[in-house]
Structure formats: structure tokens, C-alpha cells
Amino acid sequence: MRRRPFDLRRPGRRRWLSSVWVWLVAGGLGVLLLLVVLSREKLPRSAPPLVRQNIYRSSLVEGLNITEEMLSPYSLRRQIVEQISLAKALVVISKDSNNLQFSAELNSQIRKCQVLLSRAATTGTPLTIEEWEAAVRDMALLLYEAQQLHYDSATMIMKMKGQFQSLDDKMKSETEKSTKYGQIAAEELPKGLYCLGIRLTMEWFGNPDHQLQLSGRKHALEKLRDNNLYHYCVFSDNILAASVVVNSTTMNSKHPDMVVFHLVTDEVNYVPMKAWFSMNSYRGATIDVQKVEDFSWLNASYVPVLKQLQNSETQNFYFSGSGDSRTPIKFRNPKYLSMLNHLRFYIPEVYPALQKVVFLDDDVVVQKDLSELFTINLNGNVMGAVETCMETFHRFHKYLNYSHPLIRAHFDPDACGWAFGMNVLDLREWRKKNVTGIYHYWQEHNADHTLWKLGTLPPGLLAFYGLVEKLDPKWHVLGLGYTNVDSSLIKNGAVLHYNGNMKPWLKIGMEKYKGLWDKYVDYSHPLLQQCFVHG
């Protein structure tokens, strides 16, 4: 078939293809123009960033307002501060990666930037834009190099997490050691107290006059049963501490001749304590000393704590240190099993003739007259105590095991805790409500130590639950043996309690609170001069 001439081949098709290309090009230009318009619409409608930054820079010349400068998003000072913070973190990471040269470069640049900031702050003269920009640029180059070395945020986070974990482990280890050594220091008998006990024993047996003086006070026995007087009880094996309690109470009493102290100690300290209180006068106060071993009714068949001590597993746990390592060391302190510590739950039986007493721990100082405590209305409750639930960790759930169904069923976990150490006790209500029997019930159920660990406060919370009248906090100020206490609370407090390990008679005692205790110790006494060096 013969082909058509070139100029006769479908001219309409060629024209159509050309028009398609024209439209495609026009459409592309239109889309590009639309994108440019949209991008311009996203920019701020006010002055462009460069213009605004220039305005900001010119304001630096007029005055130096660092606060305003740091708040500005365009502040070069702010950029440098942020760069320094990041660079410091990179210094640590580069050292860990053994890249000491890069670490040195970072440190050098950090110092240069700090010098610039310091000079601007101290002189009040703004730096030139060239100086600022050079500092930002040089630091930015190092930060970029760090990124190339894979010192990026993910790597930094992982390395810092590892460092934090390592530091946390070290901190826990050191805290455990500190607690252990602090507990050992708190349990150690100071040489001065040991010396005092020996010299008092020698004085008692070497000087019959002291025994005659004690027998000459037989007329005072009537006062021990007189409910019109102010009766205080202290259970202690620390002669000097007990003396401070008695001395501070009588010195601040309006009627010291109406004060009666009932002291109970152990057999080791019985003779020296009798000797001490027979040799010293306390403004006419009556003082009686007994030893816990004379209470024949305190035996294993009646007292759950003594019964539990006959168990070999309990003895091993608390005396050999072979128990659960998760148990804090303070709960392994054998003093928590001492009957002097638990005798507070038997006060009505120790003093069957008394109706109301004030219980005082031996680590307190009395600095106000306490006679008003004997007239406080307890509203049918057994005990008056200061509550300690200002913070959540002083509520019942801190001391008791609420995973145990017996505890969970009977006690509110958010109930307020309260403090032993200064307590008003209505012994008539105590006997009527059988508080000692309640205490026995919970001690027997805690033979396996699953309700609480050790100590007297947890069983006290259970035994007196619902039977405590809240006292004004001024009566009992706590914390002088472990924390800082507000000076106004100390000034207005009636009883200051050195609860905690840092007792005032120990070297580890808090120095700023020792003076409050020392003022009631007569260091000029011949025996104290022989046993204590007081500067």
C-alpha cells in the first residue's frame, strides 16, 4: 500500500499532543505557585524572624535585662546556657567512652562560654554579637561532632540510666552501712556510764550511811500510794538519763514536794541507781527504785514476750543475726525484747494502788510544769497521747502488716499513730477495759512476727486502739534524736523527746540539742567528774 505524504499524516493528532504538554506544564507551575502561597501563609504575619532578631539585638545595647533575655526565644544567652548543659552531659559520656581528647575540648569550650556569661553578668556590659555568635557556633560544632560519635540522646539516656543505677546501688549500700554503724553506736554503753555504775556500787557498799539514809525515808512510803500526789513512772537501765528526767521534772515543777517518781530498773543497775538517788536531793520529791526481777508475776506463763523468748528460733533470729536479711537491723536490737521496754503494758499491776500516772521515757527532758496533765479530762479513754499523723508515714499502715487478714479486718490503715514517751494513763479505765489482756491477745497472734516486726509502739497501737485521747502537741515534742525540730516548738514544748539513735548522752548525739539535756546534769558532782570529761 502506498504511504501518504508526510504533510498529509493526521495533523489533528499532532496538535492534540502539543496542547496536552502545554496544559501539564501550566498545571505544574500552578501547583508550585499554590505551595509557595501556602508556605507564606504559615509564616508569622508580624515582622519576619530576622527582623525581630535584629530588633532584639539592638535592644541589648540599650540595657542588660538578663531575666527578660533568658525568657526570649531568640536569646543568644539562652542558647549558650542550654548548650553548656548539654555539653556537660556529653563530657561525662565521652569520659566513659574513654574519649579524653574530645572531653577536654568540650570542657575548654564550656569554660570559654562560662567566662563570657560571667563577664556579661558582673560588668553589666553586653557582649558584641560577634562574640555571642562565635561562642554559639563553636559549641554547635562540638555538639555536631558528638552526634557523629553517636553521643545522641538515646545513647545518653542509656548511659545515664546505667550511671543512675550504679549510683543508686552505691547509695543503698552506704545507707545500709550507715544504719548498721549508727545502730551499733546507739547500742554501745558509753564508758562514762559504765564507770558511773561501778563507782556508785562501790560507794553503796563502802559507805553504810547511804543505806541508813534510804531506810530513814520510810515515812515517804505513804506517798507512793497517795492518789492526791503527782505520780510519774520511768523504766530505765540508764542512771544518768533517769536522773535527768527526775531533775528536769522537779526543777520545773510548781510543787516538787508533791512529785513522786516510781523508777524500775534491772538487777545490774539496781544498786547503783539506789545509791545515786539516795546521794542526791531533788527539791523534796519522793523517789522509789525497784528492780524488774522482783515482779514474780512477770513469767513466761503470763507474759507472751517471755514465752516467745524460750523459742530457739526467736533467740537465733534476734540474738545471732541469722534471721531474714531483709529485716532492718534496728528491729534486731535485743532491747526491744527487754522487759523494761514492755513493762509499760503492766503499769496497773506494778502500781495496783494508783489511779492516774504519767509515763515518761528515759530519753526525755521536761521543761514545763506537768501538774496540769493530772487534771486533763480523758473523756473515758485510757491514755492521753500526742498524735503523730501529720504525715502519711505515721499512720497505722506504716507500723502494721496490712497484708495480714487479721490486721486488715480490725484496724483502719489511715488511723493516726501516736507517741510513746509522755503519756497520761487512767489506770481505773485501763483495768476496766482490760488493756493488758488486749495486748496479750495481739502478742500471742504475733508469735511468728507476721503482724509487725518488733518494738512496743505497734502492739501499743493495737492495745489502745480507740482508747486514746488526743493531747495538745505542745505537751510532747519529738525528733530531737534524729531530725531538725522547729525552734519555736522546742521553746514552747513541755516535754522534749530525743527519740531516735542520736541520744544526748552519746557521742553521735546532735550537738545543737545536747545543751537542753546537759543543763540538768551536774557535771561538778565528784563521781561525774571522775567518769565524764565535759568541756
Side-chain angles (χ1 to χ4, degrees):
M1 181 176 177
R2 194 175 60 173
R3 294 173 59 87
R4 296 177 181 176
F6 181 80
D7 57 345
L8 298 178
R9 292 178 189 173
R10 302 178 183 177
R13 184 178 177 183
R14 290 171 59 194
R15 285 194 299 271
W16 179 77
L17 288 172
S18 299
S19 62
V20 168
W21 281 107
V22 171
W23 281 107
L24 286 174
V25 172
L29 291 173
V31 170
L32 182 61
L33 181 62
L34 179 62
L35 291 174
V36 171
V37 171
L38 290 175
S39 64
R40 285 180 176 275
E41 288 180 353
K42 292 180 180 179
L43 293 174
R45 298 188 181 275
S46 56
L50 290 177
V51 175
R52 178 176 292 184
Q53 189 164 352
N54 289 333
I55 294 172
Y56 169 73
R57 289 176 179 178
S58 64
S59 68
L60 286 177
V61 180
E62 298 174 4
L64 192 66
N65 188 330
I66 294 179
T67 303
E68 182 179 321
E69 205 178 336
M70 291 299 290
L71 292 175
S72 171
Y74 304 104
S75 168
L76 290 171
R77 186 189 300 274
R78 179 176 175 178
Q79 291 180 43
I80 290 179
V81 170
E82 291 174 348
Q83 284 182 327
I84 289 174
S85 299
L86 181 58
K88 286 181 176 179
L90 290 170
V91 167
V92 176
I93 294 174
S94 58
K95 284 182 178 179
D96 286 347
S97 302
N98 206 28
N99 193 343
L100 301 182
Q101 181 179 350
F102 184 65
S103 172
E105 291 176 5
L106 281 171
N107 272 321
S108 176
Q109 188 59 34
I110 289 172
R111 283 193 293 271
K112 288 180 182 178
C113 292
Q114 288 175 333
V115 168
L116 285 176
L117 293 173
S118 176
R119 191 171 72 192
T122 54
T123 64
T125 305
L127 300 174
T128 64
I129 299 302
E130 290 74 18
E131 288 176 310
W132 287 119
E133 288 183 340
V136 171
R137 182 185 63 252
D138 292 345
M139 183 67 84
L141 289 172
L142 288 174
L143 297 179
Y144 176 76
E145 185 178 347
Q147 187 177 7
Q148 301 306 304
L149 293 169
H150 302 291
Y151 296 160
D152 53 11
S153 58
T155 305
M156 288 173 61
I157 290 172
M158 292 302 296
K159 286 181 178 271
M160 293 181 77
K161 281 179 68 176
Q163 290 176 345
F164 289 151
Q165 184 63 47
S166 175
L167 289 173
D168 187 54
D169 292 341
K170 289 180 180 178
M171 183 186 70
K172 288 179 179 178
S173 174
E174 294 302 321
T175 300
E176 186 176 344
K177 289 179 183 178
S178 175
T179 302
K180 181 177 180 180
Y181 297 145
Q183 191 67 43
I184 292 171
E187 294 172 22
E188 182 184 8
L189 180 68
K191 292 180 180 179
L193 290 178
Y194 181 74
C195 165
L196 181 62
I198 293 176
R199 292 194 174 274
L200 282 169
T201 302
M202 294 170 62
E203 186 74 20
W204 177 261
F205 289 110
N207 191 344
D209 291 342
H210 298 312
Q211 300 181 36
L212 291 174
Q213 290 175 12
L214 193 65
S215 61
R217 298 178 184 178
K218 295 295 183 182
H219 65 280
L221 293 178
E222 297 178 2
K223 290 186 174 182
L224 301 179
R225 304 168 59 89
D226 188 347
N227 282 293
N228 295 315
L229 302 180
Y230 306 132
H231 294 268
Y232 302 89
C233 57
V234 179
F235 309 140
S236 173
D237 58 0
N238 187 321
I239 301 166
L240 200 59
S243 176
V244 167
V245 177
V246 174
N247 196 27
S248 61
T249 303
T250 55
M251 285 185 65
N252 292 291
S253 175
K254 295 177 182 178
H255 306 284
D257 57 314
M258 296 181 65
V259 170
V260 181
F261 264 96
H262 303 265
L263 306 180
V264 180
T265 188
D266 55 22
E267 191 164 18
V268 173
N269 293 281
Y270 178 58
V271 168
M273 195 167 285
K274 279 199 306 180
W276 178 261
F277 286 102
S278 68
M279 292 167 59
N280 296 281
S281 174
Y282 296 90
R283 300 185 65 201
T286 301
I287 302 167
D288 180 55
V289 181
Q290 296 175 277
K291 59 180 176 180
V292 69
E293 287 81 5
D294 285 342
F295 303 142
S296 58
W297 46 269
L298 281 176
N299 51 63
S301 62
Y302 178 59
V303 179
V305 169
L306 294 177
K307 182 180 180 179
Q308 291 165 17
L309 275 177
Q310 294 179 348
N311 186 304
S312 59
E313 293 183 4
T314 302
Q315 292 175 359
N316 289 334
F317 183 86
Y318 291 111
F319 295 104
S320 70
S322 60
D324 186 354
S325 60
R326 294 172 297 178
T327 303
I329 186 174
K330 68 177 183 177
F331 292 124
R332 298 178 183 276
N333 189 345
K335 79 171 187 177
Y336 287 116
L337 293 173
S338 166
M339 276 315 302
L340 283 178
N341 219 27
H342 287 265
L343 195 60
R344 65 192 70 194
F345 294 105
Y346 301 95
I347 291 176
E349 294 166 86
V350 178
Y351 311 111
L354 298 182
Q355 297 176 357
K356 182 175 280 190
V357 301
V358 169
F359 170 78
L360 295 172
D361 267 339
D362 65 356
D363 55 352
V364 306
V365 167
V366 178
Q367 56 178 15
K368 306 284 184 184
D369 178 62
L370 301 184
S371 58
E372 187 183 334
L373 289 172
F374 292 87
T375 61
I376 287 179
N377 185 3
L378 298 182
N379 297 309
N381 288 307
V382 175
M383 174 190 287
V386 170
E387 290 185 341
T388 57
C389 60
M390 288 75 73
E391 301 90 6
T392 181
F393 57 84
H394 282 140
R395 297 183 184 271
F396 270 43
H397 63 76
K398 168 66 178 180
Y399 305 100
L400 305 171
N401 177 19
Y402 272 86
S403 64
H404 197 290
L406 198 58
I407 295 294
R408 195 166 56 247
H410 289 85
F411 303 99
D412 177 8
D414 290 323
C416 277
W418 43 265
F420 264 137
M422 194 295 297
N423 306 97
V424 186
L425 300 169
D426 187 331
L427 303 186
R428 293 166 297 184
E429 291 295 330
W430 183 315
R431 298 180 184 103
K432 189 186 303 181
K433 294 181 169 65
N434 190 25
V435 174
T436 301
I438 299 172
Y439 162 74
H440 283 173
Y441 172 85
W442 289 111
Q443 278 287 4
E444 289 167 354
H445 279 78
N446 193 46
D448 55 358
H449 313 293
T450 56
L451 303 186
W452 69 88
K453 289 299 181 183
L454 208 56
T456 53
L457 182 56
L461 295 176
L462 304 186
F464 291 96
Y465 187 66
L467 302 174
V468 178
E469 181 72 13
K470 181 171 68 173
L471 298 181
D472 190 312
K474 72 177 182 181
W475 286 112
H476 189 185
V477 177
L478 297 121
L480 279 75
Y482 75 94
T483 188
N484 292 314
V485 183
D486 189 284
S487 58
S488 64
L489 295 178
I490 293 176
K491 181 180 179 181
N492 298 320
V495 175
L496 307 180
H497 196 169
Y498 291 82
N499 56 312
N501 283 337
M502 293 182 279
K503 306 298 185 188
W505 56 83
L506 298 175
K507 290 183 179 179
I508 62 172
M510 300 180 73
E511 288 295 333
K512 61 180 177 179
Y513 299 139
K514 278 189 175 183
L516 298 168
W517 190 84
D518 280 341
K519 67 186 291 188
Y520 296 106
V521 180
D522 181 11
Y523 286 104
S524 65
H525 192 287
L527 291 180
L528 295 185
Q529 285 188 333
Q530 295 173 21
C531 294
F532 292 88
V533 177
H534 185 68

